[in-house]
Amino acid sequence: MTNSAEPAGGYDLAVVGAGPAGLAAAATAAEHGLRVVLLDSAPRPGGQFYRQPAAELRAARPQALHHHWPAFQRLLGRVDAAAERVTSLGDHHVWSVTGESGAFTVRALTGPDQRQARSVTARQVLFATGAHERQLPFPGWTLPGVVGAGGAQAMLKAGLVLPGRRVVVAGSGPLLLAVASSLAAAGARVPLVAEAADYLGYAAGARVLAANPGKLVEGAQHGAVLLRHGVRLRPRTAVVAAHGSDRVEAVTLARLDAAWRPVPGTEWRVACDAVAVGHGLVPQLELPLELGCRTRRLPDGSAALVVDAAQRTTVPGVWAAGESTGIGGVQLAVAEGELAGRAVAGQTAAPRPLLRRRARLRAFADLMAARHAPGSGWTGWLDDATEVCRCEEVTVREVRSAVAELGAADQRTVKLLTRAGMGWCQARMCGPAVARLCGAPSADGPDVPGPDVAVAGQDDGAPTRPLSTPVPLGLLAECDTTAPSSEGAPR
Amino acid sequence: MRRSPLDLVRARPEPPIEFSFDGEPVAALPGQSVAAALWQSGRLAWRRTRVGDRPRGAFCGMGACYDCLVELDGVPNVRACLAPARPGALVRTQQGDGHDELR
Ligand SMILES: Cc1cc2nc3c(=O)[nH]c(=O)nc-3n(C[C@H](O)[C@H](O)[C@H](O)COP(=O)(O)OP(=O)(O)OC[C@H]3O[C@@H](n4cnc5c(N)ncnc54)[C@H](O)[C@@H]3O)c2cc1C
Ligand code: FES
């Protein structure tokens, strides 16, 4: 890892996020001669998928927790080979990107407790900031031991720990299978995986599946691991409540109908000491929204950056690759990173096989997003006392009364009236749920807008957020330019 | 005996270090976060919420949810899932917004 001084006049390209997309973009751009700075808040590169155990843990076989490990090693090798043109800044949390094509300022926090400021300048900027998990509340979901499925996976990959010994995995999306199989392989008992959607729905996409044999193999590998560990996969099933006083002791499961409404009378209880739950992934967009990049609505209702064939966003000099442009998995992230890296370096003709690969993987991503899109009936498992906003401890009752009695029709008004979404996480955890509770269309509703009409800041779970991380006030005061605002973002 | 995550990746970690959590010793493997070490010790909660005084711990595991806030060496509001466990660190359950003594 290099740490050379910034070249006079700044870097040619700043890449935010050193996951698969960011690594591929940085390596490719550097191979084409650009001077690149690659920033990530994590100490080591790899992103969510290739999250590595800390070096001190001296894992001889980290690949036991990852598919596609050799591909990751190749990516790291390419970044190393181009080391004199790539400055890698780990442990740099970017909280603001301002400026315009030719002169962007990227501000980061670093050091112990992220209280030190550091900024770099670059002519162009590329967002490869990935995604976070979509969470839908249920009674008891704030009990200790109920954790994000991706969170359990991240803690396992990085710290080699489990949240409990008997872990129910629940929610929706292909990540659940990956999480269940690594938890089981690492020694947890996984009594079942409750998947809210119906896997049979995939049959509708037979052509897309046939074009993506690698994805089927991946699925089959998880399936084999689950089988070996006696893990049952229960489609059309959800955890509708978690029980316990100071930590989770059991969950109630129920069958769901096609709209994800719990079917009365189908409930049963399962003992466990942890629950790993998640309902798919949502692109992480704070920084590009701040610059005014336009978004589109994905088949599952969440917002992603609009990019053209060369991975260019709608703002000049700003590029994006990986899950910030739509949830599609690690291979798509790498393909997009390569294409973006070439295009930023001015290579206009992209190799056809790479373009075909991206198209094929995107078709698969759309199929997945549509199959696992939250149905409108999930609100049927809420009770009045369920906390929607974990940070501000705002309940379903409060949100519903803001909507029914005070007439709040959107997330922003609900936030002003109830504080839901006003806390530390800035609505990352409660955004999709609050949007649904104030009547935002769900993916299975009749009124989903087409992919191009949705813009940032609407009630689709991606409100504009002024800052991507809480920043010590002193640092804001030290900034030479005005504090970033969300004014550039379309509304 | 059941398999552990360390067996799975054939980890041969450096010798454990120790920090204190609410006065009790907690062992951590070098490289683990404070949250990972607390999980390993069987603890799932290290914060009490401001409104309902309810226990909370790590949720997203990736620095996004801020549920895992802890007081570390006297500094409140530190994300335990990101902070590395350091030998001799003084970790304390965070009460409310971490600034109770100022009110
Ligand atoms: C919690 C979680 C766990 C997952 N686990 C799996 C799994 O086990 N198996 C699987 O197939 N897929 C998994 N996925 C999906 C996987 O993330 C993607 O397929 C793939 O990693 C996408 O690559 P990416 O480069 O687009 O984004 P990511 O890999 O998410 O990389 C984004 C990077 O950007 C960095 N970043 C974001 N914002 C900032 C900022 N403001 N400043 C600095 N750095 C920033 C992040 O630290 C991260 O390293 C997981 C996703 C999540 C969210
Ligand atoms: S667990 Fe979410 S921020 Fe630490």
Short mmCIF file of all heavy atoms in Angstrom, two decimals, chain A residues 422-476:
data_model
loop_
_atom_site.label_atom_id
_atom_site.label_comp_id
_atom_site.label_asym_id
_atom_site.label_seq_id
_atom_site.Cartn_x
_atom_site.Cartn_y
_atom_site.Cartn_z
N MET A 422 -34.24 10.90 12.16
CA MET A 422 -33.46 12.08 12.49
C MET A 422 -32.21 11.73 13.29
O MET A 422 -31.39 12.59 13.59
CB MET A 422 -34.32 13.04 13.30
CG MET A 422 -33.99 14.50 13.09
SD MET A 422 -35.13 15.50 14.01
CE MET A 422 -36.29 15.99 12.75
N GLY A 423 -32.04 10.46 13.63
CA GLY A 423 -30.95 10.08 14.52
C GLY A 423 -29.63 9.86 13.80
O GLY A 423 -29.45 10.24 12.65
N TRP A 424 -28.73 9.20 14.51
CA TRP A 424 -27.37 9.00 14.02
C TRP A 424 -27.31 8.33 12.66
O TRP A 424 -26.46 8.65 11.84
CB TRP A 424 -26.60 8.13 15.01
CG TRP A 424 -26.20 8.81 16.26
CD1 TRP A 424 -26.93 8.92 17.41
CD2 TRP A 424 -24.95 9.46 16.51
NE1 TRP A 424 -26.21 9.60 18.35
CE2 TRP A 424 -24.99 9.94 17.84
CE3 TRP A 424 -23.80 9.67 15.75
CZ2 TRP A 424 -23.92 10.63 18.41
CZ3 TRP A 424 -22.74 10.34 16.33
CH2 TRP A 424 -22.81 10.83 17.64
N CYS A 425 -28.14 7.34 12.43
CA CYS A 425 -27.98 6.57 11.18
C CYS A 425 -28.58 7.31 10.01
O CYS A 425 -28.46 6.87 8.88
CB CYS A 425 -28.57 5.17 11.32
SG CYS A 425 -30.31 5.04 10.86
N GLN A 426 -29.24 8.42 10.26
CA GLN A 426 -29.80 9.26 9.22
C GLN A 426 -30.71 8.48 8.27
O GLN A 426 -30.61 8.57 7.07
CB GLN A 426 -28.68 9.98 8.46
CG GLN A 426 -27.82 10.79 9.43
CD GLN A 426 -26.79 11.64 8.72
OE1 GLN A 426 -27.14 12.38 7.82
NE2 GLN A 426 -25.54 11.51 9.12
N ALA A 427 -31.56 7.67 8.89
CA ALA A 427 -32.63 6.96 8.19
C ALA A 427 -32.15 5.78 7.36
O ALA A 427 -32.91 5.19 6.59
CB ALA A 427 -33.48 7.89 7.34
N ARG A 428 -30.87 5.40 7.51
CA ARG A 428 -30.42 4.22 6.76
C ARG A 428 -31.21 2.98 7.18
O ARG A 428 -31.50 2.13 6.36
CB ARG A 428 -28.94 3.97 7.00
CG ARG A 428 -28.03 4.91 6.25
CD ARG A 428 -26.62 4.33 6.26
NE ARG A 428 -25.67 5.29 5.73
CZ ARG A 428 -24.97 6.13 6.49
NH1 ARG A 428 -25.12 6.13 7.80
NH2 ARG A 428 -24.12 6.97 5.95
N MET A 429 -31.51 2.87 8.48
CA MET A 429 -32.19 1.67 8.95
C MET A 429 -33.71 1.77 8.79
O MET A 429 -34.36 0.79 8.47
CB MET A 429 -31.86 1.40 10.43
CG MET A 429 -30.38 1.18 10.70
SD MET A 429 -29.70 -0.23 9.80
CE MET A 429 -28.30 0.53 8.98
N CYS A 430 -34.30 2.95 9.04
CA CYS A 430 -35.77 3.03 9.05
C CYS A 430 -36.35 3.58 7.77
O CYS A 430 -37.57 3.54 7.57
CB CYS A 430 -36.26 3.86 10.23
SG CYS A 430 -35.83 5.61 10.11
N GLY A 431 -35.51 4.13 6.87
CA GLY A 431 -36.03 4.82 5.68
C GLY A 431 -37.06 4.04 4.89
O GLY A 431 -38.19 4.51 4.67
N PRO A 432 -36.74 2.81 4.44
CA PRO A 432 -37.71 2.06 3.63
C PRO A 432 -39.01 1.79 4.40
O PRO A 432 -40.09 1.85 3.81
CB PRO A 432 -36.98 0.74 3.33
CG PRO A 432 -35.53 1.05 3.48
CD PRO A 432 -35.44 2.12 4.54
N ALA A 433 -38.91 1.54 5.72
CA ALA A 433 -40.11 1.22 6.48
C ALA A 433 -40.99 2.46 6.65
O ALA A 433 -42.21 2.40 6.48
CB ALA A 433 -39.73 0.65 7.84
N VAL A 434 -40.37 3.59 6.99
CA VAL A 434 -41.16 4.81 7.16
C VAL A 434 -41.83 5.18 5.83
O VAL A 434 -43.00 5.54 5.79
CB VAL A 434 -40.27 5.98 7.66
CG1 VAL A 434 -41.06 7.29 7.66
CG2 VAL A 434 -39.76 5.68 9.06
N ALA A 435 -41.08 5.04 4.74
CA ALA A 435 -41.65 5.36 3.43
C ALA A 435 -42.92 4.53 3.20
O ALA A 435 -43.95 5.03 2.75
CB ALA A 435 -40.63 5.09 2.33
N ARG A 436 -42.84 3.25 3.53
CA ARG A 436 -43.98 2.36 3.31
C ARG A 436 -45.16 2.77 4.21
O ARG A 436 -46.30 2.79 3.78
CB ARG A 436 -43.56 0.92 3.61
CG ARG A 436 -44.63 -0.11 3.36
CD ARG A 436 -44.82 -0.32 1.86
NE ARG A 436 -46.16 -0.84 1.58
CZ ARG A 436 -47.09 -0.16 0.93
NH1 ARG A 436 -46.86 1.04 0.46
NH2 ARG A 436 -48.27 -0.70 0.71
N LEU A 437 -44.84 3.11 5.45
CA LEU A 437 -45.91 3.44 6.40
C LEU A 437 -46.60 4.75 6.02
O LEU A 437 -47.74 4.99 6.41
CB LEU A 437 -45.37 3.54 7.83
CG LEU A 437 -45.03 2.20 8.48
CD1 LEU A 437 -44.36 2.42 9.82
CD2 LEU A 437 -46.28 1.34 8.64
N CYS A 438 -45.92 5.62 5.28
CA CYS A 438 -46.66 6.81 4.85
C CYS A 438 -47.11 6.68 3.42
O CYS A 438 -47.37 7.67 2.73
CB CYS A 438 -45.94 8.11 5.17
SG CYS A 438 -44.27 8.24 4.69
N GLY A 439 -47.23 5.44 2.98
CA GLY A 439 -47.98 5.20 1.75
C GLY A 439 -47.18 5.22 0.47
O GLY A 439 -47.76 5.28 -0.61
N ALA A 440 -45.84 5.15 0.55
CA ALA A 440 -45.06 5.07 -0.68
C ALA A 440 -45.43 3.79 -1.42
O ALA A 440 -45.77 2.79 -0.80
CB ALA A 440 -43.57 5.08 -0.37
N PRO A 441 -45.41 3.84 -2.76
CA PRO A 441 -45.75 2.63 -3.51
C PRO A 441 -44.77 1.51 -3.21
O PRO A 441 -43.60 1.77 -3.01
CB PRO A 441 -45.62 3.07 -4.97
CG PRO A 441 -44.73 4.26 -4.94
CD PRO A 441 -44.96 4.93 -3.61
N SER A 442 -45.27 0.30 -3.13
CA SER A 442 -44.35 -0.83 -2.98
C SER A 442 -44.22 -1.48 -4.35
O SER A 442 -44.98 -1.21 -5.26
CB SER A 442 -44.88 -1.82 -1.97
OG SER A 442 -45.95 -2.53 -2.54
N ALA A 443 -43.23 -2.34 -4.46
CA ALA A 443 -42.92 -2.88 -5.78
C ALA A 443 -44.06 -3.72 -6.36
O ALA A 443 -44.18 -3.85 -7.57
CB ALA A 443 -41.64 -3.70 -5.71
N ASP A 444 -44.92 -4.28 -5.49
CA ASP A 444 -45.98 -5.09 -6.05
C ASP A 444 -47.27 -4.29 -6.23
O ASP A 444 -48.30 -4.81 -6.61
CB ASP A 444 -46.24 -6.34 -5.19
CG ASP A 444 -46.71 -5.97 -3.78
OD1 ASP A 444 -46.68 -4.77 -3.45
OD2 ASP A 444 -47.08 -6.89 -3.03
N GLY A 445 -47.21 -3.00 -5.92
CA GLY A 445 -48.39 -2.16 -6.10
C GLY A 445 -48.58 -1.83 -7.57
O GLY A 445 -47.69 -2.04 -8.37
N PRO A 446 -49.75 -1.30 -7.92
CA PRO A 446 -50.03 -1.02 -9.31
C PRO A 446 -49.37 0.27 -9.79
O PRO A 446 -49.28 0.53 -10.97
CB PRO A 446 -51.55 -0.86 -9.33
CG PRO A 446 -51.90 -0.44 -7.94
CD PRO A 446 -50.86 -1.01 -7.03
N ASP A 447 -48.88 1.08 -8.86
CA ASP A 447 -48.49 2.44 -9.22
C ASP A 447 -46.99 2.68 -9.16
O ASP A 447 -46.53 3.73 -8.79
CB ASP A 447 -49.20 3.42 -8.29
CG ASP A 447 -49.09 3.00 -6.82
OD1 ASP A 447 -48.53 1.92 -6.58
OD2 ASP A 447 -49.55 3.75 -5.96
N VAL A 448 -46.20 1.66 -9.50
CA VAL A 448 -44.76 1.84 -9.49
C VAL A 448 -44.35 2.67 -10.70
O VAL A 448 -44.69 2.32 -11.82
CB VAL A 448 -44.03 0.48 -9.57
CG1 VAL A 448 -42.54 0.68 -9.34
CG2 VAL A 448 -44.61 -0.47 -8.57
N PRO A 449 -43.64 3.75 -10.49
CA PRO A 449 -43.21 4.53 -11.65
C PRO A 449 -42.15 3.78 -12.45
O PRO A 449 -41.48 2.90 -11.92
CB PRO A 449 -42.62 5.79 -11.02
CG PRO A 449 -42.39 5.50 -9.60
CD PRO A 449 -43.19 4.29 -9.22
N GLY A 450 -42.02 4.12 -13.70
CA GLY A 450 -41.02 3.49 -14.55
C GLY A 450 -39.63 3.85 -14.06
O GLY A 450 -39.47 4.71 -13.21
N PRO A 451 -38.63 3.17 -14.61
CA PRO A 451 -37.29 3.32 -14.08
C PRO A 451 -36.72 4.74 -14.19
O PRO A 451 -35.86 5.10 -13.41
CB PRO A 451 -36.46 2.34 -14.91
CG PRO A 451 -37.31 1.92 -16.05
CD PRO A 451 -38.73 2.16 -15.65
N ASP A 452 -37.19 5.55 -15.10
CA ASP A 452 -36.51 6.82 -15.30
C ASP A 452 -37.13 8.00 -14.56
O ASP A 452 -36.56 9.06 -14.51
CB ASP A 452 -36.49 7.17 -16.80
CG ASP A 452 -35.82 6.08 -17.58
OD1 ASP A 452 -34.82 5.55 -17.08
OD2 ASP A 452 -36.33 5.74 -18.66
N VAL A 453 -38.33 7.82 -14.03
CA VAL A 453 -39.00 9.00 -13.50
C VAL A 453 -38.62 9.33 -12.06
O VAL A 453 -38.75 10.45 -11.63
CB VAL A 453 -40.53 8.88 -13.58
CG1 VAL A 453 -40.97 8.71 -15.02
CG2 VAL A 453 -41.02 7.74 -12.73
N ALA A 454 -38.13 8.32 -11.33
CA ALA A 454 -37.84 8.59 -9.92
C ALA A 454 -36.61 9.48 -9.80
O ALA A 454 -35.63 9.29 -10.51
CB ALA A 454 -37.59 7.29 -9.18
N VAL A 455 -36.68 10.43 -8.94
CA VAL A 455 -35.51 11.26 -8.71
C VAL A 455 -35.13 11.21 -7.25
O VAL A 455 -35.92 10.85 -6.40
CB VAL A 455 -35.73 12.73 -9.12
CG1 VAL A 455 -35.84 12.85 -10.62
CG2 VAL A 455 -36.94 13.30 -8.43
N ALA A 456 -33.91 11.60 -6.98
CA ALA A 456 -33.41 11.58 -5.61
C ALA A 456 -34.27 12.43 -4.71
O ALA A 456 -34.86 13.40 -5.13
CB ALA A 456 -31.99 12.12 -5.60
N GLY A 457 -34.31 12.06 -3.45
CA GLY A 457 -35.00 12.88 -2.48
C GLY A 457 -36.46 12.52 -2.36
O GLY A 457 -37.16 13.03 -1.51
N GLN A 458 -36.96 11.65 -3.21
CA GLN A 458 -38.34 11.24 -3.05
C GLN A 458 -38.45 10.16 -2.00
O GLN A 458 -37.46 9.69 -1.47
CB GLN A 458 -38.89 10.74 -4.39
CG GLN A 458 -39.14 11.91 -5.31
CD GLN A 458 -39.85 11.47 -6.55
OE1 GLN A 458 -39.87 10.28 -6.88
NE2 GLN A 458 -40.43 12.40 -7.26
N ASP A 459 -39.66 9.76 -1.74
CA ASP A 459 -39.86 8.84 -0.62
C ASP A 459 -39.66 7.40 -1.04
O ASP A 459 -40.52 6.57 -0.91
CB ASP A 459 -41.25 9.04 -0.05
CG ASP A 459 -41.37 10.45 0.48
OD1 ASP A 459 -40.52 10.82 1.28
OD2 ASP A 459 -42.30 11.16 0.07
N ASP A 460 -38.50 7.13 -1.57
CA ASP A 460 -38.22 5.78 -2.02
C ASP A 460 -37.11 5.18 -1.18
O ASP A 460 -36.39 4.30 -1.60
CB ASP A 460 -37.82 5.78 -3.50
CG ASP A 460 -36.77 6.83 -3.77
OD1 ASP A 460 -36.26 7.42 -2.80
OD2 ASP A 460 -36.48 7.07 -4.94
N GLY A 461 -36.95 5.68 0.02
CA GLY A 461 -35.91 5.12 0.87
C GLY A 461 -34.56 5.74 0.61
O GLY A 461 -33.58 5.34 1.20
N ALA A 462 -34.46 6.71 -0.25
CA ALA A 462 -33.18 7.36 -0.49
C ALA A 462 -33.32 8.87 -0.39
O ALA A 462 -33.12 9.59 -1.35
CB ALA A 462 -32.61 6.98 -1.86
N PRO A 463 -33.72 9.36 0.76
CA PRO A 463 -33.83 10.81 0.90
C PRO A 463 -32.46 11.42 0.82
O PRO A 463 -31.46 10.76 1.12
CB PRO A 463 -34.41 10.98 2.30
CG PRO A 463 -33.98 9.77 3.05
CD PRO A 463 -33.89 8.67 2.04
N THR A 464 -32.38 12.67 0.39
CA THR A 464 -31.07 13.31 0.40
C THR A 464 -30.65 13.51 1.84
O THR A 464 -31.42 13.92 2.68
CB THR A 464 -31.12 14.68 -0.28
OG1 THR A 464 -32.16 15.43 0.33
CG2 THR A 464 -31.39 14.55 -1.75
N ARG A 465 -29.42 13.17 2.13
CA ARG A 465 -28.90 13.36 3.47
C ARG A 465 -27.76 14.33 3.36
O ARG A 465 -26.89 14.17 2.52
CB ARG A 465 -28.41 12.04 4.04
CG ARG A 465 -29.50 11.01 4.14
CD ARG A 465 -28.93 9.74 4.73
NE ARG A 465 -29.90 8.67 4.61
CZ ARG A 465 -29.92 7.82 3.61
NH1 ARG A 465 -29.05 7.91 2.65
NH2 ARG A 465 -30.83 6.87 3.57
N PRO A 466 -27.72 15.33 4.21
CA PRO A 466 -26.69 16.35 4.06
C PRO A 466 -25.29 15.81 4.26
O PRO A 466 -24.37 16.22 3.58
CB PRO A 466 -27.05 17.38 5.12
CG PRO A 466 -28.03 16.73 6.04
CD PRO A 466 -28.65 15.61 5.29
N LEU A 467 -25.08 14.90 5.18
CA LEU A 467 -23.73 14.41 5.45
C LEU A 467 -23.76 12.90 5.46
O LEU A 467 -24.72 12.30 5.92
CB LEU A 467 -23.24 14.89 6.82
CG LEU A 467 -23.08 16.39 7.00
CD1 LEU A 467 -22.64 16.68 8.43
CD2 LEU A 467 -22.09 16.97 6.02
N SER A 468 -22.67 12.28 4.98
CA SER A 468 -22.69 10.83 4.95
C SER A 468 -22.20 10.25 6.26
O SER A 468 -22.19 9.07 6.46
CB SER A 468 -21.86 10.31 3.79
OG SER A 468 -20.51 10.40 4.10
N THR A 469 -21.79 11.07 7.18
CA THR A 469 -21.41 10.59 8.49
C THR A 469 -21.48 11.76 9.45
O THR A 469 -21.27 12.89 9.04
CB THR A 469 -19.97 10.02 8.47
OG1 THR A 469 -19.70 9.38 9.70
CG2 THR A 469 -18.94 11.09 8.23
N PRO A 470 -21.82 11.54 10.72
CA PRO A 470 -21.78 12.67 11.65
C PRO A 470 -20.34 13.18 11.73
O PRO A 470 -19.42 12.39 11.89
CB PRO A 470 -22.21 12.05 12.98
CG PRO A 470 -22.94 10.81 12.62
CD PRO A 470 -22.29 10.32 11.36
N VAL A 471 -20.16 14.48 11.61
CA VAL A 471 -18.82 15.05 11.57
C VAL A 471 -18.65 15.95 12.79
O VAL A 471 -19.54 16.72 13.11
CB VAL A 471 -18.66 15.88 10.28
CG1 VAL A 471 -17.32 16.59 10.27
CG2 VAL A 471 -18.82 15.00 9.06
N PRO A 472 -17.50 15.82 13.48
CA PRO A 472 -17.28 16.73 14.61
C PRO A 472 -17.44 18.17 14.14
O PRO A 472 -16.93 18.55 13.09
CB PRO A 472 -15.83 16.44 15.00
CG PRO A 472 -15.53 15.07 14.48
CD PRO A 472 -16.39 14.89 13.26
N LEU A 473 -18.15 18.98 14.94
CA LEU A 473 -18.47 20.33 14.50
C LEU A 473 -17.23 21.17 14.21
O LEU A 473 -17.21 21.96 13.28
CB LEU A 473 -19.31 21.03 15.57
CG LEU A 473 -20.77 20.60 15.58
CD1 LEU A 473 -21.53 21.33 16.67
CD2 LEU A 473 -21.41 20.87 14.22
N GLY A 474 -16.18 20.94 14.99
CA GLY A 474 -14.96 21.70 14.79
C GLY A 474 -14.44 21.58 13.36
O GLY A 474 -13.94 22.54 12.78
N LEU A 475 -14.60 20.38 12.79
CA LEU A 475 -14.09 20.15 11.44
C LEU A 475 -14.88 20.94 10.42
O LEU A 475 -14.34 21.46 9.45
CB LEU A 475 -14.18 18.67 11.09
CG LEU A 475 -13.13 17.79 11.74
CD1 LEU A 475 -13.31 16.36 11.27
CD2 LEU A 475 -11.75 18.29 11.38
N LEU A 476 -16.19 21.04 10.63
CA LEU A 476 -17.00 21.81 9.70
C LEU A 476 -16.53 23.25 9.71
O LEU A 476 -16.41 23.89 8.67
CB LEU A 476 -18.48 21.75 10.11
CG LEU A 476 -19.22 20.47 9.78
CD1 LEU A 476 -20.66 20.57 10.28
CD2 LEU A 476 -19.20 20.20 8.30
#
